[in-house]
Amino acid sequence: MSKRRVLYEGKAKTIYEGPEPGTLIQYFKDDATAFNAQKKAVIAGKGVLNNRISAHLMTKLESIGIPTHFMRSLNMREQLVRQVEIIPLEVVIRNIAAGSLSKRLAVKEGTILTQPVLEFYYKKDELGDPMVNEHHIMTFGWADPYELDEMIHMTYRINDYLNGLFAGIGLRLVDFKLEFGRIYGEYGEVYLLLADEISPDNCRLWDAQTGEKLDKDRFREDLGDLVEGYQKIAERLGLVPKGGIIEGGNINEQLAASLGEIENELAEKRKLRGLKMSPGNKPRKV
Ligand code: 5GP
């Protein structure tokens, strides 16, 4: 397809070098994996839907002041993003018990949590992404205290905002996973950006009326057509026409290609915010 250099081949995305230094192209694949890639499938249209959903949500987040790596969508499956140094952590925030929390602590799925529960996992496939805490993060230097503070602060803010956004379209945001990355300023100062993607691959979303699971659990738990769920989310967000772009397992390429592109105008004008220092702390030498 192209002579671009592949920088990273992930389970659901391929990262190519971008047109300019400091940029990357994120290509959304149709591959679905679960249980540390023990379960696999190729699902037509998943990449197109995730590309659109993630671009839209990142743009919305930028509009409330969350700096993201997303710059603009390039085509159905690709987006231009800023190159960041990925922090090797998955930040999960939960509003309703499900998944590994329900299993680990025997909490009934669907239990509303009295406050959002935030968890960290160390990104290491060989170890199965183990759960870690702030002490591990400091001890092994995966992030410093300022970065940790900023990640927690941003995650709560993103959770509050997305809860409202999804509630407004009849969806319950059960939980989701975020990843963050660093970029370095002119003087070596560090800025944190929201990276990776926000899509039904890494969010649990349930229909508020029926409780139907519309996210990747459809695949994990064999609950029926995965893309049907993703389409319903995209439809409600106003990102695909009613009826969707995938019919009978085939993507309507023409229709998908005709959808408007998403641009993060704010990304261009963004004034990056340095890491906050706790009162009494001296700014960090960088
Ligand atoms: P759980 O820990 O219950 O399996 O997952 C919590 C939330 O984080 C879910 O929304 C799930 O989709 C997301 N999540 C956790 N780990 C991963 C991961 O390795 N990849 C992706 N895409 N999402 C994850």
Side-chain angles (χ1 to χ4, degrees):
M1 184 192 65
S2 77
K3 295 188 204 82
R4 290 176 312 194
R5 204 154 62 92
V6 173
L7 298 182
Y8 172 75
E9 177 85 47
K11 289 179 220 125
K13 293 190 291 291
T14 305
I15 307 293
Y16 295 95
E17 70 184 349
E20 285 155 34
T23 64
L24 299 173
I25 293 169
Q26 212 169 228
Y27 177 97
F28 287 75
K29 302 199 276 190
D30 282 342
D31 302 33
T33 64
F35 314 117
N36 212 1
Q38 285 166 43
K39 182 172 177 179
K40 288 185 201 173
V42 176
I43 298 166
K46 179 176 91 87
V48 173
L49 292 166
N50 278 357
N51 182 27
R52 248 182 124 61
I53 293 170
S54 190
H56 175 74
L57 295 177
M58 291 273 182
T59 306
K60 287 283 185 197
L61 288 170
E62 193 84 47
S63 78
I64 60 152
I66 302 288
T68 79
H69 75 156
F70 175 72
M71 297 174 82
R72 63 173 187 273
S73 63
L74 296 172
N75 54 51
M76 280 197 292
R77 293 176 186 279
E78 294 181 330
Q79 49 183 247
L80 184 70
V81 300
R82 277 191 193 232
Q83 182 165 27
V84 298
E85 182 181 278
I86 280 283
I87 293 179
L89 295 171
E90 295 185 344
V91 186
V92 168
I93 189 156
R94 303 173 186 271
N95 302 302
I96 298 173
S100 71
L101 176 86
S102 288
K103 255 196 223 109
R104 193 169 51 246
L105 301 178
V107 183
K108 192 169 178 296
E109 183 181 87
T111 307
I112 295 169
L113 304 171
T114 52
Q115 57 182 53
V117 172
L118 194 138
E119 299 167 345
F120 295 103
Y121 295 85
Y122 177 44
K123 266 167 70 77
K124 199 78 177 166
D125 278 347
E126 306 91 282
L127 303 176
D129 298 344
M131 189 194 262
V132 294
N133 66 26
E134 283 89 335
H135 301 280
H136 300 105
I137 296 171
M138 297 297 141
T139 302
F140 300 112
W142 298 321
D144 73 18
Y146 304 115
E147 292 170 334
L148 192 56
D149 244 28
E150 187 74 0
M151 280 192 286
I152 294 171
H153 175 79
M154 278 204 245
T155 301
Y156 277 109
R157 186 146 160 69
I158 293 167
N159 185 44
D160 281 348
Y161 177 79
L162 292 183
N163 258 298
L165 183 145
F166 284 118
I169 54 171
L171 297 175
R172 297 171 84 193
L173 180 59
V174 174
D175 57 34
F176 58 98
K177 184 257 301 181
L178 299 175
E179 293 186 24
F180 294 90
R182 303 178 181 98
I183 56 173
Y184 295 91
E186 212 181 323
Y187 306 104
E189 71 276 22
V190 179
Y191 300 99
L192 278 194
L193 302 186
L194 177 64
D196 194 45
E197 68 181 292
I198 306 183
S199 74
D201 266 10
N202 53 25
C203 297
R204 285 196 170 91
L205 287 164
W206 298 348
D207 184 289
Q209 293 286 314
T210 63
E212 187 189 7
K213 295 180 179 180
L214 299 175
D215 54 76
K216 202 168 135 191
D217 276 351
R218 294 169 81 91
F219 174 69
R220 294 188 190 103
E221 299 172 10
D222 292 319
L223 295 177
D225 189 22
L226 177 89
V227 134
E228 221 173 81
Y230 285 32
Q231 274 212 135
K232 283 187 187 167
I233 298 168
E235 250 180 71
R236 291 200 200 179
L237 287 167
L239 297 172
V240 298
K242 231 181 159 22
I245 52 170
I246 291 122
E247 286 155 23
N250 289 315
I251 180 161
N252 183 336
E253 296 271 345
Q254 216 177 350
L255 183 56
S258 72
L259 302 172
E261 289 191 351
I262 296 173
E263 177 148 7
N264 198 356
E265 284 165 22
L266 290 163
E268 311 297 327
K269 302 180 206 142
R270 180 201 299 124
K271 285 236 181 338
L272 287 169
R273 191 157 53 101
L275 295 181
K276 275 211 230 61
M277 310 287 155
S278 319
N281 274 345
K282 287 209 179 81
R284 187 165 47 131
K285 273 258 188 296
V286 284

